[in-house]
Amino acid sequence: MTAARSLTTIAELADAGLVPEAKRADAAAVAERYAVAVTPALVGLIDADDPSDPIARQFVPDAAELVTLPEERADPIGDLAHSPVEGIVHRYPDRVLLKAVHVCPVYCRFCFRREMVGPEGLGTLSAKALDAAIAYIAERPEIWEVILTGGDPLVLSPRRLQAIMERLGAITHVKIVRFHTRVPVVDPARIDAALIDALKASGKTTYVALHANHPREFTADACAAVARIVDAGMVMISQTVLLKGVNDDADVLAALMRTFVENRVKPYYLHHPDLAPGTAHFRLTLAEGRALVESLRGRVSGLCQPAYILDIPGGHGKVRADSMAVEEADDGCFRLRDFRGDVHAYPPKAD
């Protein structure tokens, strides 16, 4: 299998017509700090003549990324605070994240792990570190689900994915393996028979969580890639980030959720953007997000309703942003009650 080559330099993006000459210096400054990659599949989707193109906004570097607000943080959801061994995040009792790789085929400009991913990031787990991560899972019978994330686990070769699945397959208390990926929409040709076979393990149920933020991402090739996964017997669910200038519109959001359902992907999470450095230009206020999600009620089928989720900064877990666990305070901030019952301010005070 030959994966499509991503454009990874500002010069390449400029040659593709995605970065005008007037913005090259700022884009280069962004690229010095954060990883850049745009696949050919996405390049073909971008309207270079539209300065507000929602696909370009997600992937092409912007000078706004150079502005970091006081409340933003390098590890906005507290992965490192819950990492007992390299490659594992164990925040909830019955499930863990397994971050086998910190490389992606594309780098989203709003990525909450942007300080960890990319060529200069945490890289791929060494054989020794992977052994320790698998041992951690095997030694804890309370772990029912393993979520492979990163980075994007589907950048790994089928051989390496199959090796991981075989090792997880030997752990009897692990019943669910979930993959979080962008690949079916950003590099659909990669979803071939060998990769699909590698996602399965005897006695395990495989879920694939697809990250997409705009209905235009569902090209014919992307839809075919999703169909190959579903037809192979795997359940697909969605993840979307609520992004200003991309999908902060009830009609766009409704169209996206319908597109997921039409392609047999169950809408799962709609994420409020995390407080990653240089991402303020993507964030709506929590009040704006709640109003937008409320506008979907009755507008679209119940099949199309994702859970609006906010990851509490500092590693305290997720909370439904439109639930009673989120209360607006007199100071204009919000109080968030985590799954343990503890209350946290949002936005949090700067470190």
Side-chain angles (χ1 to χ4, degrees):
M1 175 179 59
T2 301
R5 182 184 176 278
S6 296
L7 308 186
T8 58
T9 68
I10 300 305
E12 289 174 334
L13 292 176
D15 288 345
L18 302 183
V19 178
E21 182 62 35
K23 295 185 177 182
R24 284 188 67 161
D26 285 339
V30 173
E32 288 181 2
R33 179 166 182 183
Y34 303 116
V36 173
V38 185
T39 59
L42 289 176
V43 172
L45 276 182
I46 293 172
D47 181 356
D49 295 326
D50 180 3
S52 301
D53 183 81
I55 310 301
R57 184 165 171 80
Q58 294 182 67
F59 302 106
V60 177
D62 188 289
E65 297 176 59
L66 300 173
V67 179
T68 300
L69 299 187
E71 66 267 25
E72 294 176 341
R73 50 191 68 188
D75 183 17
I77 68 169
D79 276 357
L80 298 179
H82 295 275
S83 183
V85 298
E86 185 181 359
I88 292 288
V89 178
H90 195 174
R91 184 177 287 109
Y92 301 101
D94 73 338
R95 55 205 182 275
V96 297
L97 304 183
L98 173 56
K99 299 195 290 183
V101 62
H102 288 84
V103 176
C104 300
V106 296
Y107 293 105
C108 304
R109 308 322 308 162
F110 49 87
C111 178
F112 68 97
R113 292 194 179 116
R114 63 193 328 214
E115 301 277 3
M116 307 175 190
V117 300
E120 306 302 321
L122 299 181
T124 301
L125 286 187
S126 67
K128 183 178 179 180
L130 182 59
D131 287 347
I134 296 292
Y136 180 92
I137 296 167
E139 292 164 1
R140 287 161 177 81
E142 69 272 20
I143 297 175
W144 173 80
E145 180 182 21
V146 175
I147 303 167
L148 279 96
T149 181
D152 194 316
L154 298 197
V155 302
L156 294 172
S157 68
R159 177 186 60 81
R160 297 188 71 173
L161 285 168
Q162 186 173 43
I164 291 172
M165 288 300 286
E166 287 176 352
R167 298 180 73 174
L168 294 175
I171 303 174
T172 56
H173 56 263
V174 172
K175 304 298 183 184
I176 307 295
V177 181
R178 190 195 325 171
F179 291 87
H180 284 188
T181 185
R182 269 271 211 193
V183 168
V185 293
V186 303
D187 193 5
R190 194 174 184 89
I191 307 297
D192 62 9
L195 187 143
I196 288 171
D197 285 345
L199 304 183
K200 302 176 182 179
S202 178
K204 310 304 177 194
T205 298
T206 299
Y207 279 73
V208 177
L210 173 63
H211 177 183
N213 297 318
H214 194 277
R216 273 175 46 203
E217 294 174 45
F218 280 85
T219 62
D221 287 342
C223 291
V226 169
R228 289 194 290 273
I229 295 172
V230 178
D231 288 344
M234 286 173 276
V235 180
M236 292 194 71
I237 58 178
S238 79
Q239 293 202 105
T240 294
V241 184
L242 184 58
L243 300 167
K244 185 182 295 185
V246 176
N247 55 26
D248 59 330
D249 175 275
D251 289 335
V252 171
L253 207 54
L256 175 61
M257 296 305 150
R258 289 189 181 112
T259 303
F260 279 129
V261 172
E262 290 164 8
N263 285 278
R264 296 177 286 173
V265 180
K266 177 65 182 79
Y268 179 49
Y269 276 167
L270 175 64
H271 293 272
H272 192 78
D274 296 307
L275 297 173
T279 63
H281 56 298
F282 284 110
R283 285 195 299 275
L284 286 74
T285 67
L286 193 49
E288 290 170 333
R290 283 157 65 106
L292 181 57
V293 169
E294 181 60 30
S295 75
L296 292 181
R297 308 288 182 223
R299 179 188 291 261
V300 294
S301 164
L303 293 173
C304 302
Q305 302 283 351
Y308 182 32
I309 293 296
L310 187 150
D311 249 305
I312 302 173
H316 303 289
K318 295 179 175 64
V319 61
R320 284 197 62 138
D322 53 352
S323 73
M324 293 179 65
V326 176
E327 298 179 354
E328 191 164 6
D330 293 338
D331 59 3
C333 294
F334 286 81
R335 302 292 180 264
L336 315 179
R337 188 171 63 253
D338 67 27
F339 69 97
R340 300 181 183 87
D342 297 328
V343 177
H344 310 271
Y346 184 86
K349 293 181 179 180
D351 292 335

